[in-house]
Amino acid sequence: VKDALCGVVERLAAQQHNRIYALYQQHLAGCVRQLVRARSDALEKQLGVYLLAVVAEHCPVAVFNDVKPFLQPLLRCAADMSDSQLRQDALYGLGALATTMGSPAYAPHTARTLAVLVSVLRDPSAFASSRVAATEAAVAALGKLLCAAEAAVPEARAVFVQWLRLLPLKASDDEE
């Protein structure tokens, strides 16, 4: 059911990106907030984070007057070490959000996003088979962050060099 619902929402968002945010606000935002709360079970969080990532990827920049309902749960779930799929979806969402908002709108959020991405990438078990897909989502999100808000990234050139060392991605065709 989760995959079917996510597939429908993603197709709708890709086709109707100019209207998806209004639909999201009217029918899904309250439900998604409930799904991504800290007390939700893993499947509920995965569904909520996936929906946040889809909306972040497909909504026009102008709708993000308040980024907190997107950013806070994505950052929290991206830092979650217990669920690799949740982490992967959240990391993808962070990259999508940075790309959609662009610079300078995303600049105030760059430091917190960068801290989570660096934490994921420095984890000693980051490239273990059970975590590599999430780690590569972090690599992709870092690339998107560098493109979207480079001026807000401290030591951007050094970060870019480190990012290049993590390429090419091997485990995830979606992140290439």
Side-chain angles (χ1 to χ4, degrees):
V1 173
K2 172 193 165 244
D3 292 340
L5 176 61
C6 289
V8 167
V9 171
E10 187 163 11
R11 282 190 298 282
L12 181 63
Q15 294 171 358
Q16 302 292 324
H17 60 272
N18 289 330
R19 292 182 272 192
I20 190 66
Y21 192 72
L23 176 70
Y24 171 78
Q25 284 295 93
Q26 289 175 338
H27 302 288
L28 293 174
C31 178
V32 169
R33 278 191 297 275
Q34 291 299 312
L35 291 171
V36 297
R37 70 181 192 264
R39 295 181 310 273
S40 295
D41 69 35
L43 186 60
E44 290 173 331
K45 284 182 192 174
Q46 285 177 7
L47 177 59
V49 166
Y50 185 85
L51 293 172
L52 285 176
V54 166
V55 172
E57 182 174 27
H58 294 288
C59 282
V61 175
V63 301
F64 290 106
N65 295 328
D66 185 11
V67 72
K68 287 179 188 174
F70 289 84
L71 188 62
Q72 301 296 7
L74 290 175
L75 287 170
R76 185 180 74 252
C77 292
D80 186 338
M81 298 290 285
S82 65
D83 185 335
S84 187
Q85 183 62 52
L86 176 67
R87 182 179 235 192
Q88 181 179 349
D89 291 345
L91 290 161
Y92 182 85
L94 288 172
L97 190 59
T99 299
T100 300
M101 289 182 68
S103 187
Y106 199 79
H109 313 292
T110 300
R112 289 186 357 200
T113 303
L114 188 58
V116 168
L117 296 175
V118 167
S119 172
V120 169
L121 295 170
R122 286 188 177 161
D123 180 356
S125 62
F127 289 95
S129 62
S130 64
R131 293 188 174 181
V132 71
T135 301
E136 288 194 354
V139 173
L142 180 58
K144 292 173 184 178
L145 181 66
L146 285 166
C147 288
E150 179 185 356
V153 175
E155 309 271 337
R157 181 167 288 195
V159 173
F160 181 73
V161 169
Q162 292 298 321
W163 176 74
L164 286 174
R165 290 183 181 150
L166 296 168
L167 299 176
L169 301 179
K170 297 172 184 86
S172 176
D173 294 336
D174 294 345
E175 298 298 342
E176 289 183 22

